[in-house]
Amino acid sequence: MTLQLWTGCVAATLNPALPQPYGLIEDAALVVDGPLIGWVGVRSELPAALAARCGPAQDAGGALVTPGLIDPHTHLVYAGDRAREFEMRLGGVSYEEIARQGGGIASTVRQTRAASPEALRAQSRPRLQALCAEGVTTVEIKSGYGLDLESERKMLQAARQLGQELGVTVRTTFLGAHALPPEFAGRPDAYIDAVVAMLPVLHREGLVDAVDVFCERIGFSLDQTRRVFEAARALGLPVKLHAEQLSDSGGARLAADFGALSCDHLEYLSPQGVQAMADAGSVAVLLPGAFYFLRETRLPPLDGLRQRGVPMALATDCNPGSSPCTSLLLMMNMACTLWRMTPEEALAGVTRHAARALGLADRGLLAAGMRADLVFWQLDHPAQLSYAMGANPRLRTLIEGRVA
Ligand code: DI6
Ligand code: FE
């Protein structure tokens, strides 16, 4: 089989083995060998023997090439919206208050339970399409608006089916412990029993790649979180956690005990929590859309995370209540403008570190042997990806070497 050869491009490889910022290679050549990257480097250094196996060089016209973008935290499968609650919040009612009044997540649960599988897919599809249109090739999608076996299954199946339809990788996370459904009002421990019973069933059906819990004053306690994590561990499933978004509950330290892939949100993460994440090798998935939309003022402890070497990923958190957002590029801009992350950190956050937050070792950087998930952009420097607001400079996406 002949290999594809791309030239005339600037490659932001994100490969930490290269000394330049962004692992940048000017005047790069890139060889695609079936579904994988065969070679990437300075064009003049392309080995002649390899060049001989390639088809005619395809000129990228000076485009920037990056790894396919990865959104490692979304709740994009849901029905309805919460625009009326948005109006209430602007009138001064808080997100937590709305949740306590039976709105919030519970209102999306009502609408998601009522939707047919087709309607749920139809409403969710444009959100996944919007992400893909901006160069996203791998997306994590959580359940958590069903809160009973049948409705959680419906959500996870919708997520899987949409991924197949659009030809992108979808990783599904079971978030049964997202909120207390009305039929369990006042009985959170009984609901955790139900979650622990749902998990093996959904896992057996091949619908679960990881397990998450909303550990928060308005979510579940540390003890309840631990019970769900123990059930995950018994099945060999990795865990993630919504932790320290609205308060410091110590969730990150608990998650670290379970070797969590990631802890997400983290505005109220303590120094002990940072240390625990560093020791466990967990990724910090930061969600600037939720910070912005809820008008939070407390920043995640970026300096602490940097000092301890905790990898920082970025995600949309696409959901109807706290981040109705389908632009990962906008998240990069917000992380830079609101939090002073660097554009290089932002790009690593939606590629290399995002891959790690999902436990995927085969993508997130451009190097021989990695998946050939690539995006070509009409840009000449990777900082431009974080700089513009609302632009979409994507030219072309390859997924496993094929034009998407
Ligand atoms: N944290 C979030 O930001 C979302 N879920 C969660 O646990 C919000 C979900 C929603 O409000 O619908
Ligand atoms: Fe979330």
Side-chain angles (χ1 to χ4, degrees), residues 73 75 82 95 104-105 108 145 175 178 213-214 242 245 265 287 290 294 317 319-323:
H73 179 144
H75 311 246
R82 307 237 289 278
Y95 179 75
I105 295 173
T108 302
Y145 293 119
L175 178 57
H178 192 198
V213 174
F214 186 30
H242 278 72
Q245 177 187 9
H265 286 288
L287 305 168
L294 298 181
D317 197 15
N319 78 72
S322 66
S323 189

Side-chain angles (χ1 to χ4, degrees), residues 182-236:
E183 60 275 20
F184 282 91
R187 299 185 295 132
D189 289 309
Y191 180 59
I192 293 297
D193 292 340
V195 168
V196 164
M198 282 180 228
L199 177 57
V201 180
L202 297 169
H203 175 56
R204 220 177 298 125
E205 294 172 13
L207 291 171
V208 182
D209 296 316
V211 176
D212 192 351
V213 174
F214 186 30
C215 180
E216 192 59 66
R217 288 190 299 242
I218 56 168
F220 294 93
S221 70
L222 279 181
D223 280 344
Q224 291 158 352
T225 302
R226 183 180 295 110
R227 291 186 53 211
V228 177
F229 281 3
E230 277 164 357
R233 182 169 10 203
L235 296 169

